Amino acid sequence: MKTSFSPYRRSLLGLFAGACLPVSSRAATPPVFTVQTEPSLAHCIALLHTALDAAGFPAKLVNAPHTSETRNLHETGAGRIHITLLPVSPPRLTLVREGRLRMIPIPLERGLLGWRTAFVLQNQVEQLARIRDLKDLRTLTIGQGSGWWDADIYRKAGITTREVQAWRNGEFAEQMQAGVIDLFPMGMEESLSYFLPHFRQRYPQLALDKTLLLRYPWYRFVWVSPHPSADDLYQALQKGFDLISGDDQFEAIWSRTRQLPPAESWQDRTVIDLENPFYSSDIVPERYRHLLLRPQTS
């Protein structure tokens, strides 16, 4: 019977085969593992390498092709994607409870992912200056990426929210110009350090609001395939992250690749705290909570 595979599957199968080589074949060549990542997550990749080095586990990490969340979960379960760097979501927590996904609950963004600041059009920056509370915010329409669980947090708070398919290069600006959405919140730190200059390459009319801060528990964790080929990888990452979170290496690497925004970036803003209906800050275990940053807002 003739069998054919897409280029995507061929590339993943090749990497999967390399990760499953016998120990004797891997002695001189480190195993290869695939990571679902984004250009904005270079600090997470640096932390993965540091954790593996601390655990004494040589490995080569290569980027997996970008996929939808549904496809990602399928490929991760099959062992063709070994590591994913995504925020915590209800489906992922369910799979962890069922033993169909492994989670290392280390807060890769140090808690700042839940500090959301909004992209707006430059000629509409004034509209957020009038927002003083949740009631005011409900008069606007928030945009979010398709499939983002943040959208359900905003809807739970009674805020009209629309999901957009294209956002990676700032395409949501077109939805703003059409009057479909008013603002597009993202993590403050990631927006200042990466997304603002990235988006403005194609949409220079975008600006980052300086008057409003939305806050809710939202964390990016490390997710590891449940496939047996990732057993050693999972154990090494667990050991490595415990080591580097206990001797200041985590903070040192994070500070070299990411920066806490200057105080003026968040102080004197209107702060609106929202409930995350899926989990609280307790999802970060005690041994990692010292990594969370808690900058003062006033």
Side-chain angles (χ1 to χ4, degrees):
M1 178 177 65
K2 183 177 180 181
T3 303
S4 61
F5 296 96
S6 67
Y8 170 81
R9 286 183 62 81
R10 284 198 300 269
S11 63
L12 283 179
L13 287 170
L15 292 170
F16 175 61
C20 297
L21 287 173
V23 174
S24 59
S25 300
R26 296 187 303 182
T29 304
V32 178
F33 297 102
T34 57
V35 184
Q36 173 85 63
T37 185
E38 300 280 351
S40 61
L41 300 181
H43 63 299
C44 297
I45 299 299
L47 288 168
L48 287 175
H49 282 294
T50 304
L52 292 174
D53 288 345
F57 186 78
K60 181 179 181 181
L61 304 179
V62 299
N63 292 349
H66 179 74
T67 66
S68 66
E69 169 71 352
T70 301
R71 185 67 182 177
N72 177 282
L73 289 173
H74 175 77
E75 297 295 325
T76 301
R80 289 185 287 270
I81 292 178
H82 301 100
I83 303 172
T84 300
L85 306 170
L86 283 176
V88 183
S89 69
R92 289 181 172 271
L93 292 177
T94 297
L95 291 176
V96 170
R97 287 193 294 269
E98 295 173 350
R100 295 192 290 151
L101 186 65
R102 292 185 273 205
M103 176 178 79
I104 299 176
I106 186 139
L108 295 170
E109 309 286 5
R110 307 192 68 186
L112 295 184
L113 193 61
W115 287 50
R116 314 298 275 191
T117 189
F119 284 95
V120 294
L121 296 177
Q122 287 188 13
N123 61 4
Q124 295 180 0
V125 292
E126 303 265 330
Q127 72 174 338
L128 291 193
R130 65 177 176 80
I131 303 300
R132 289 290 177 264
D133 53 30
L134 181 56
K135 181 180 178 181
D136 291 340
L137 186 59
R138 288 171 177 157
T139 65
L140 302 178
T141 299
I142 281 180
Q144 289 288 268
S146 179
W148 290 9
W149 284 93
D150 307 70
D152 285 330
I153 292 177
Y154 297 130
R155 289 174 180 137
K156 179 75 172 180
I159 305 166
T160 301
T161 306
R162 296 186 183 277
E163 297 179 47
V164 299
Q165 290 290 336
W167 65 271
R168 295 180 187 282
N169 294 307
E171 296 93 335
F172 56 83
E174 298 171 16
Q175 301 288 308
M176 291 179 178
Q177 291 171 325
V180 177
I181 61 175
D182 298 301
L183 63 159
F184 195 93
M186 296 184 70
M188 172 184 284
E189 187 274 332
E190 64 179 359
S191 296
L192 287 169
S193 64
Y194 178 80
F195 284 110
L196 179 60
H198 174 68
F199 289 158
R200 294 193 69 183
Q201 291 179 31
R202 291 182 58 181
Y203 296 94
Q205 66 270 42
L206 282 173
L208 203 55
D209 169 63
K210 299 180 181 180
T211 63
L212 183 66
L213 179 65
L214 308 178
R215 288 192 311 198
Y216 46 88
W218 201 240
Y219 306 103
R220 187 186 307 280
F221 287 169
V222 177
W223 310 90
V224 181
S225 170
H227 194 276
S229 64
D231 286 352
D232 291 345
L233 173 68
Y234 175 64
Q235 293 172 11
L237 285 172
Q238 277 197 313
K239 177 182 178 181
F241 275 118
D242 284 350
L243 289 171
I244 70 172
S245 67
D247 66 3
D248 298 329
Q249 283 193 77
F250 184 103
E251 294 96 321
I253 294 295
W254 197 91
S255 296
R256 284 204 295 269
T257 52
R258 278 296 205 236
Q259 296 293 325
L260 178 66
E264 57 266 26
S265 297
W266 70 76
Q267 291 181 345
D268 299 322
R269 288 178 179 246
T270 295
V271 179
I272 299 178
D273 288 305
L274 302 176
E275 177 187 354
N276 181 336
F278 310 119
Y279 56 84
S280 69
S281 58
D282 291 341
I283 197 170
V284 178
E286 184 66 35
R287 70 184 185 278
Y288 293 145
R289 287 181 194 167
H290 67 283
L291 300 174
L292 297 174
L293 294 167
R294 297 179 176 85
Q296 297 297 313
T297 55
S298 61

